[in-house]
């Protein structure tokens, strides 16, 4: 690792001020992606602003039709939360399948979203449910948040504070794991919300994306067979040693149908 | 440039000035000489460095020591001692859940949290929950047997 300074502010305001004042500083959440990046010297921040001391960034709240999860809430906390199990059970299961136990005990939802790894699970849930990302400055709708590989709409000095999920009528996430890394080779999140269906795909392309044609068909008829013949053209998908673009395209259609079936079965 | 780090390790208050780059595993091994926690891959994959941070299993090679500021850390040295093994350690001995033993401290630490969460784990649960630990010798079979037995022993 290159040398860096370290700060542990106690409030969001103090963290934002440190970020603004310290050129080339970075936010540290759970560190499960950032620490390896620093070890490989792929990132050279002048300072890390650790959010672990900010109590207001933690916690889960189920309030009417919205489930709000604080940015520093760990995957384990989401996986074992009663409120998540009641509000969006598939989100609890998704969190229980991120990385491994040790990673889930340290990694956070805010960190996962700010990192926007193209094979991460949470971006599929946030885009699939149409959640909104709250920061210290504004509220960013999911459709505007994920802008590219490891890129988001977050601006310099902006810190994710929470994610607000509208409760879907039903939803499910199905992923096909890379057998070695256990990351999603392809993951599909399907959610039927207020009058609309959303389908979000992770792992298959440089950034999480929606499949509008599937959404339209599922809006007409929420059944697996409605999308059996809809494919995402391989031209826009990743091709690497793990899977060809054609295979990923195939997986999207198969997993999307499984996700619809799982949503219907309440699993 | 050092920053003061104060935390509790195996029930003992510890304080030291550390370079911000110091990993938790380096702090435990190099500063405190608690060398039971091992460095396997150093990339957050193998789990040999697993310790408990506020009773939760984490990979200490994938955290800065400063991230444990004010926290309570438990290492393999903190759960048992020669002649008075933790029930999970005793189960690993009884079921021969190791060959070279390098990955064992990390697996035992993960297994202790696993058993707290799943007091009667099935073999399938154990295999799934061991996702974050790699063993290159055993093929896992006896590790799984040891954890099922260790979980049962922990209830007594």
């Amino acid at each position: 690792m290159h040398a860096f300074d370290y700060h542990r502010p106690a409030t969001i305001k103090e963290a934002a001020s440190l970020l603004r004042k310290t050129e080339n500083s970075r936010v540290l959440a759970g560190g499960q992606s950032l620490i390896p990046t620093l070890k490989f010297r792929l990132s050279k921040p002048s300072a890390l602003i650790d959010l672990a001391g900010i109590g207001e960034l933690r916690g889960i709240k189920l309030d009417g039709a919205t489930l709000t999860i604080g940015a520093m809430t760990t995957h384990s906390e989401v996986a074992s939360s009663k409120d998540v199990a009641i509000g969006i059970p598939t989100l609890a299961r998704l969190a229980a399948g991120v990385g491994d136990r040790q990673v889930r005990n340290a990694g956070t939802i805010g960190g996962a979203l700010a990192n926007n790894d193209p094979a991460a699970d949470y971006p599929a849930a946030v885009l699939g449910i149409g959640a909104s990302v709250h920061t210290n400055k504004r509220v960013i709708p999911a459709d505007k948040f994920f802008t590219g590989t490891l890129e988001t709409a977050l601006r310099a000095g902006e810190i994710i504070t929470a994610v607000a999920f509208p409760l879907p009528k039903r939803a499910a996430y199905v992923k096909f794991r890379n057998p070695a890394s256990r990351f999603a080779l392809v993951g599909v999140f399907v959610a039927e919300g207020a009058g609309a269906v959303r389908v979000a795909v992770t792992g298959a392309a440089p950034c999480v994306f929606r499949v509008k044609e599937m959404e339209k068909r599922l809006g007409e008829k929420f059944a697996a067979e409605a999308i059996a013949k809809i494919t995402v053209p391989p031209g826009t998908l990743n091709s690497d040693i793990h899977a060809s673009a054609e295979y990923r395209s195939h997986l999207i259609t198969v997993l999307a149908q499984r996700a619809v079936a799982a949503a219907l079965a309440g699993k | 440039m050092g920053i003061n780090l104060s935390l509790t390790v195996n029930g003992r208050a510890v304080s030291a000035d550390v370079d911000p780059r110091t990993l938790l595993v380096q702090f435990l091994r190099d500063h405190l000489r608690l060398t039971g926690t091992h460095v396997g891959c150093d990339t957050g994959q193998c789990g040999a460095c697993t310790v408990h941070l506020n009773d939760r299993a984490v990979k200490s090679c994938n955290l800065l020591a400063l991230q444990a500021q004010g926290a309570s850390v438990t290492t393999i040295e903190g759960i048992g001692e020669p002649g008075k093994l933790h029930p999970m350690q005793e189960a690993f001995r009884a079921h021969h859940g190791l060959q070279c033993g390098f990955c064992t401290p990390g697996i035992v630490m993960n297994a202790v949290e696993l058993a707290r969460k799943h007091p009667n784990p099935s073999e399938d649960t154990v295999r799934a929950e061991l996702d974050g630990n790699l063993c290159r010798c055993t093929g896992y079979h006896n590790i799984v047997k040891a954890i099922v037995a260790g979980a049962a022993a922990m209830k007594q």
Side-chain angles (χ1 to χ4, degrees), chain A residues 1 32 39 100-102 105, chain B residues 42 57 59 61 110 129:
Chain A
M1 284 186 257
Q32 298 306 286
K39 284 184 180 177
D100 53 53
R101 170 201 296 286
Q102 294 97 317
N105 281 339
Chain B
D42 196 24
K59 292 174 177 173
C61 86
N110 192 8
E129 298 275 325

Side-chain angles (χ1 to χ4, degrees), chain A residues 17 20 23 36 38 65 81 90 94 103 114 120 136 150 169 182 185 192 197 202 206 215 228 231 251:
Chain A
S17 157
R20 205 171 48 242
E23 203 179 326
L38 295 173
S81 157
T90 198
L94 176 146
V103 166
N136 56 328
L150 304 171
K169 192 169 131 200
R182 314 299 284 161
L185 197 60
E192 186 180 19
V197 175
T202 189
E215 295 179 355
T231 51
L251 278 180

Side-chain angles (χ1 to χ4, degrees), chain B residues 56-140:
Chain B
R56 294 286 206 160
V58 294
K59 292 174 177 173
S60 62
C61 86
N62 213 22
L63 289 169
L64 300 176
L66 287 166
Q67 288 180 273
Q69 185 76 266
S72 170
V73 171
T74 306
T75 69
I76 191 76
E77 291 91 344
I79 65 165
E81 53 192 74
K84 203 184 161 192
L85 295 179
H86 184 280
M88 189 60 77
Q89 290 174 307
E90 181 55 38
F92 270 70
R93 193 197 63 75
H95 291 268
H96 195 57
L98 57 130
Q99 284 179 28
C100 88
F102 191 85
C103 68
T104 312
I107 296 191
V108 168
M109 294 310 285
N110 192 8
V112 168
E113 195 207 345
L114 188 162
R116 284 186 193 139
K117 248 181 104 179
H118 305 278
N120 299 300
S122 66
E123 282 206 16
D124 284 351
T125 301
V126 171
R127 286 180 190 276
E129 298 275 325
L130 270 187
D131 217 8
N133 292 83
L134 298 177
C135 169
R136 298 294 77 183
C137 308
T138 68
Y140 301 99

Side-chain angles (χ1 to χ4, degrees), chain A residues 32-54:
Chain A
Q32 298 306 286
S33 297
L34 181 55
I35 304 294
T37 308
L38 295 173
K39 284 184 180 177
F40 284 126
R41 297 193 170 185
L42 294 171
S43 175
K44 192 185 175 184
S46 65
L48 293 184
I49 318 291
D50 188 350
L51 303 183
I54 307 177

Side-chain angles (χ1 to χ4, degrees), chain B residues 8-68:
Chain B
T8 304
V9 178
N10 298 335
R12 191 165 62 92
V14 174
S15 186
D17 285 340
V18 298
D19 181 303
R21 288 174 287 184
T22 309
L23 297 169
L24 180 56
V25 70
Q26 292 170 330
F27 180 72
L28 295 170
R29 288 179 56 87
D30 303 346
H31 292 239
L32 303 182
R33 311 304 294 171
L34 292 170
T35 52
T37 303
H38 291 166
V39 179
C41 66
D42 196 24
T43 55
Q45 324 218 13
C46 80
C49 65
T50 299
V51 300
H52 289 185
L53 180 67
N54 295 332
D55 291 330
R56 294 286 206 160
V58 294
K59 292 174 177 173
S60 62
C61 86
N62 213 22
L63 289 169
L64 300 176
L66 287 166
Q67 288 180 273

